[in-house]
Amino acid sequence: MDSDRLKDYARSLGLDCLGIASSELAIPTKEKKICPLAAGQGIDRYTPQTLLENCRAVIVVLFPYYVPTEVPSNLSMYTQSIDYHLIIQNYLKLLQYFMEQEYPQSNHYLCADTSPLCDRYLAHQAGLGFIGDNNCFIHPIYGSYCFIGSVLTTVPLVPDTPLTKECFHCGACHKNCPGSCFINSNYDYEYCKSYLTQKKGDLTPPEIAIIKKTPLIFGCDECQRVCPHNQYIPITPIPEFRKNRILQLQRMDLLSLTNNQFRRMYGNRAFAWRGKSILLRNLEYTDKKSKTP
């Protein structure tokens, strides 16, 4: 079935990056590189039918979130707005409702970054971009500052064609990674600053040294910041990512809150899921006055 009406409807919502992937996916030869942190294991990453019986196609949507600012921030850009999971789910529900009106007998399953499926591979198969050397998914216009959401459907939509474009392989992400986690063209997440800022418990001196290399206390944008594919990209067309932004968290502000107050104030933010203590720990590490461990 033709997907043009669906794409027109998505554009009316401000979603101009929608593609269709086949529900019959081949496991890529570079499986570990493509999905090093996927929740699923092996074949589950590439089998939509485990989530939706009789799945016939996957509707894949990119959600650009880039918002430039000259104000210094200690939070990764992806955490500065309301939690992206909530924003993506709201839009996917609208797409699901549209499909149910168009195809009353259809069934659907929504995926917003928490399913076992390999989101980046689905987005590639849907013709929306390519996977860079920094393991980020890159769109030709919006760069890598994009979230990925999917709607599994029993409607047999015609798949789009994957792009042949690929990363510049310039090495900028490798050279600027605080943890040097790109080793021999592989990605070692245990040295990724974004991972370490979310890791529970006490960190080792080498891990602390990685966190101290940049001001961010949650996440890490370095490999995206230096990527040539992210130069001169437009601001996000999705208004939810432009509103209610938080750029800085301060130690005294967090210390003044009880855990319940923290959850009430920041519970709808992506940086809050690990709790207040992790943020305070990272603030201690990134404070210029803190001692080198």
Side-chain angles (χ1 to χ4, degrees):
M1 295 182 180
D2 197 305
S3 60
D4 287 346
R5 283 178 54 80
L6 171 63
K7 292 179 179 180
D8 287 342
Y9 174 68
R11 281 190 286 268
S12 75
L13 300 175
L15 307 177
D16 56 359
C17 303
L18 184 150
I20 308 299
S22 171
S23 62
E24 302 298 327
L25 300 169
I27 298 179
T29 55
K30 297 181 179 180
E31 198 263 351
K32 288 185 179 180
K33 176 179 174 60
I34 291 175
C35 280
L37 295 179
Q41 296 294 323
I43 195 171
D44 287 346
R45 299 178 181 180
Y46 309 99
T47 311
Q49 292 79 8
T50 60
L51 298 177
L52 178 66
E53 188 178 2
N54 297 321
C55 178
R56 302 291 299 278
V58 182
I59 302 164
V60 187
V61 187
L62 298 189
F63 296 83
Y65 64 89
Y66 179 72
V67 180
T69 178
E70 295 182 359
V71 179
S73 177
N74 63 1
L75 294 168
S76 178
M77 187 178 294
Y78 85 90
T79 72
Q80 293 170 8
S81 66
I82 298 298
D83 190 340
Y84 67 95
H85 296 94
L86 303 176
I87 297 172
I88 292 175
Q89 281 283 356
N90 288 337
Y91 279 104
L92 294 184
K93 288 176 182 177
L94 292 174
L95 295 177
Q96 177 182 357
Y97 180 76
F98 174 85
M99 291 294 291
E100 290 172 344
Q101 300 306 302
E102 292 284 306
Y103 309 100
Q105 303 303 314
S106 61
N107 293 314
H108 304 86
Y109 186 96
L110 308 184
C111 301
D113 192 39
T114 55
S115 84
L117 296 176
C118 185
D119 295 328
R120 282 168 288 181
Y121 186 59
L122 285 171
H124 173 263
Q125 293 300 106
L128 295 175
F130 53 95
I131 298 171
D133 286 346
N134 59 359
N135 282 271
C136 293
F137 188 81
I138 300 173
H139 182 266
I141 295 175
Y142 293 108
S144 63
Y145 292 100
C146 295
F147 301 119
I148 304 172
S150 300
V151 179
L152 279 57
T153 179
T154 55
V155 179
L157 299 171
V158 177
D160 288 302
T161 303
L163 298 184
T164 56
K165 188 174 182 179
E166 63 178 55
C167 177
F168 290 144
H169 308 299
C170 67
C173 55
H174 293 207
K175 295 174 184 175
N176 290 273
C177 175
S180 300
C181 64
F182 303 104
I183 303 172
N184 298 323
S185 299
N186 293 317
Y187 170 63
D188 190 341
Y189 73 89
E190 293 184 339
Y191 295 97
C192 175
K193 175 173 175 174
S194 182
Y195 166 76
L196 293 174
T197 61
Q198 302 173 60
K199 185 178 179 180
K200 286 185 176 182
D202 296 331
L203 301 182
T204 65
E207 291 173 335
I208 294 173
I210 291 172
I211 288 183
K212 294 182 70 171
K213 287 185 178 180
T214 70
L216 300 193
I217 64 171
F218 198 91
C220 180
D221 288 334
E222 285 303 291
C223 68
Q224 297 192 92
R225 182 183 64 83
V226 300
C227 178
H229 294 285
N230 286 333
Q231 304 305 307
Y232 311 112
I233 60 175
I235 189 172
T236 173
I238 301 174
E240 289 87 343
F241 291 124
R242 303 194 300 264
K243 300 175 181 177
N244 303 310
R245 299 179 66 77
I246 296 176
L247 300 180
Q248 285 276 349
L249 287 178
Q250 303 295 337
R251 178 188 304 276
M252 294 308 299
D253 293 336
L254 291 178
L255 287 173
S256 69
L257 300 174
T258 65
N259 288 333
N260 285 336
Q261 290 171 332
F262 174 81
R263 284 190 290 269
R264 285 197 296 270
M265 182 173 292
Y266 298 120
N268 62 348
R269 302 283 175 166
F271 61 73
W273 78 283
R274 277 300 197 194
K276 184 179 73 168
S277 61
I278 294 294
L279 296 170
L280 284 170
R281 180 199 68 185
N282 296 339
L283 272 166
E284 179 183 351
Y285 296 154
T286 57
D287 187 341
K288 293 181 179 178
K289 297 179 182 180
S290 64
K291 297 180 180 180
T292 302

